[in-house]
Amino acid sequence: MSKRDYYEVLGVSKDASEDELKKAFRSLAMKYHPDRNPGDEEASARFKEVAEAFEVLSDPDKRQIYDRHGFQGLQGVPMPDFGDIGSLFGGLGSLFGGLFGQQSRGPQRGANLGMALEIDLIEAYRGCKKTIKVPRHEHCSECHGSGAKAGSKPAKCRQCGGSGAMAVRMGPFQMSQTCNACGGAGSVITDPCPKCRGRGVTKVTRTLEVTIPPGVDTGTRMNIRGEGEIGDQDAPRGNLIVEIHLKPHPLFRRGEDNLLTQVPITFSQAALGAEIEVPSLEGTFKHTIKAGVQSGDVVIVHGKGMPIYGAGRSGNLHVELIVETPRNLSKRQEELLRELAELDHKNVSAQRKSFFDKLRELFTGGDETEKKA
């Protein structure tokens, strides 16, 4: 069976609330449950498919990854073994709890919400405040969350008699399950609120100002308490999980708490040593390089990297020196370089002599060396 979109599997829209996901899952899980369909391999496959879809969409972090990147984004994310029924029940006890009478008691806290926030490297270095917009649900202002039209009230559920649960037989066992008709509420809405269409909630966009501390990195998660989805009546809201993503910087690369950059220097600076200008996220500063540095050498400047999140200290700045070859020489520069070239030819260093000896051997096949021996 080919893999189907998770929202399609559960038969819900992409903005489905947590309660809508739970209701759809309970209905489909009971329909395709192996105990209700003994020997039916197709029903078993559908049951696993429904469980997998609910596992992803009921988790705010996994749902966000799936919404942005699809199935490919979930590769490497820890998941239960949906291919094995026994392992599935063992690893997802809480997931199937509502089917077997293991319902949690009391008002349920709201679900967590997740969102990504992109900032630049300077903002991550200094810390900043960002204004974000968070789509979430609020209790309907017209019916105050009841779902019933003003002046009416929900009626007792006839199917469960108002208990919110029904006894069902699973093989040799009799267990309690959430009532499919009322979703466990014990009542049904016969005259729904026109504003929220009986859902009791409306979708809104909340504007928040978020404080980003110095030193955050891609993947840093900030937990903003009480800014997630609404819970049951008299229950607290869930939290908002903000995951940071850093934009690329044209001059610096980040390596954990260190910063990496490249600085061009002239041939004379490399040969003689010099005081050079080095960039940092606080501005440029002067740094002395020793004589004889090579192109590609890395100078480490301590304490000039990124602030270490929550540690009160900073990483280091790694400066890669790039020796630039001059393109447009003045007449005097050319004269000086030709003099230097002549000196290099007359006074070949041991290292250069070794290199040219190896090069000669490569083309002569070692004949000259053997003759000398």
Side-chain angles (χ1 to χ4, degrees):
M1 185 169 57
S2 60
K3 211 170 183 66
R4 293 193 296 155
D5 174 68
Y6 288 143
Y7 293 100
E8 179 187 342
V9 170
L10 294 181
V12 297
S13 65
K14 291 199 172 184
D15 62 351
S17 67
E18 183 183 21
D19 288 338
E20 290 173 317
L21 289 171
K22 286 180 179 177
K23 187 173 181 180
F25 167 70
R26 289 191 184 108
S27 175
L28 292 169
M30 289 303 300
K31 178 179 178 180
Y32 295 117
H33 195 282
D35 288 344
R36 285 193 166 186
N37 302 274
D40 188 338
E41 292 185 4
E42 183 178 351
S44 178
R46 291 294 182 194
F47 181 81
K48 296 171 187 175
E49 183 184 43
V50 167
E52 181 177 342
F54 184 76
E55 161 68 12
V56 171
L57 298 184
S58 64
D59 183 302
D61 292 337
K62 293 176 184 174
R63 183 175 182 176
Q64 184 183 32
I65 293 171
Y66 176 72
D67 286 345
R68 294 184 65 185
H69 306 293
F71 296 114
Q72 186 175 1
L74 295 170
Q75 293 180 2
V77 175
M79 300 274 272
D81 180 10
F82 291 102
D84 178 70
I85 290 290
S87 172
L88 191 58
F89 279 108
L92 295 175
S94 61
L95 180 65
F96 295 101
L99 297 176
F100 305 108
Q102 301 172 4
Q103 303 170 50
S104 57
R105 301 190 178 277
Q108 294 297 294
R109 172 181 171 274
N112 291 338
L113 289 175
M115 68 171 296
L117 177 61
E118 193 174 51
I119 63 175
D120 61 41
L121 191 61
I122 296 288
E123 290 172 322
Y125 180 81
R126 296 174 179 169
C128 62
K129 292 183 182 294
K130 303 291 283 187
T131 299
I132 60 175
K133 295 186 181 295
V134 184
R136 69 183 195 186
H137 292 88
E138 300 279 0
H139 289 298
C140 175
S141 59
E142 191 162 317
C143 67
H144 306 291
S146 72
K149 186 177 180 180
S152 69
K153 60 181 182 180
K156 181 188 290 187
C157 177
R158 294 181 179 181
Q159 188 164 320
C160 65
S163 67
M166 296 182 63
V168 293
R169 182 165 293 280
M170 296 287 184
F173 303 103
Q174 182 170 304
M175 298 182 179
S176 176
Q177 76 161 58
T178 302
C179 175
N180 290 332
C182 66
S187 60
V188 292
I189 298 168
T190 55
D191 195 3
C193 168
K195 184 175 182 179
C196 65
R197 299 180 181 178
R199 294 183 178 184
V201 297
T202 54
K203 197 161 188 177
V204 299
T205 299
R206 166 94 160 143
T207 301
L208 297 173
E209 186 177 67
V210 180
T211 299
I212 310 296
V216 296
D217 198 358
T218 293
T220 299
R221 290 186 174 185
M222 300 175 56
N223 188 4
I224 305 174
R225 299 184 63 83
E227 294 294 348
E229 283 287 17
I230 53 173
D232 295 339
Q233 291 286 357
D234 302 321
R237 278 188 170 276
N239 299 330
L240 173 64
I241 313 299
V242 178
E243 183 172 287
I244 301 298
H245 292 265
L246 295 190
K247 300 176 186 176
H249 192 278
L251 195 58
F252 296 95
R253 288 185 296 113
R254 182 169 182 170
E256 297 182 350
D257 298 313
N258 298 322
L259 287 174
L260 299 88
T261 190
Q262 293 181 327
V263 173
I265 60 175
T266 65
F267 175 76
S268 57
Q269 287 174 320
L272 302 174
E275 189 177 65
I276 62 172
E277 292 279 341
V278 176
S280 76
L281 291 177
E282 296 174 337
T284 60
F285 63 94
K286 293 186 181 300
H287 182 80
T288 301
I289 57 173
K290 63 183 182 180
V293 295
Q294 303 296 307
S295 189
D297 282 358
V298 175
V299 174
I300 298 177
V301 184
H302 295 282
K304 290 288 189 179
M306 292 294 293
I308 300 175
Y309 184 42
R313 54 192 176 86
S314 297
N316 302 323
L317 176 63
H318 292 230
V319 183
E320 183 181 6
L321 303 174
I322 306 297
V323 179
E324 289 190 328
T325 303
R327 293 180 181 275
N328 300 309
L329 297 174
S330 67
K331 187 174 181 180
R332 179 57 178 153
Q333 286 174 321
E334 185 176 350
E335 289 174 354
L336 291 172
L337 284 175
R338 289 190 181 282
E339 288 181 26
L340 179 61
E342 290 178 8
L343 289 172
D344 286 342
H345 181 70
K346 293 176 181 177
N347 301 290
V348 178
S349 66
Q351 182 179 0
R352 286 188 59 187
K353 186 174 183 180
S354 174
F355 170 76
F356 285 115
D357 285 344
K358 291 177 182 177
L359 191 63
R360 189 179 300 109
E361 289 176 12
L362 178 65
F363 286 102
T364 61
D367 293 343
E368 292 186 10
T369 306
E370 292 174 5
K371 290 176 182 178
K372 288 179 182 178

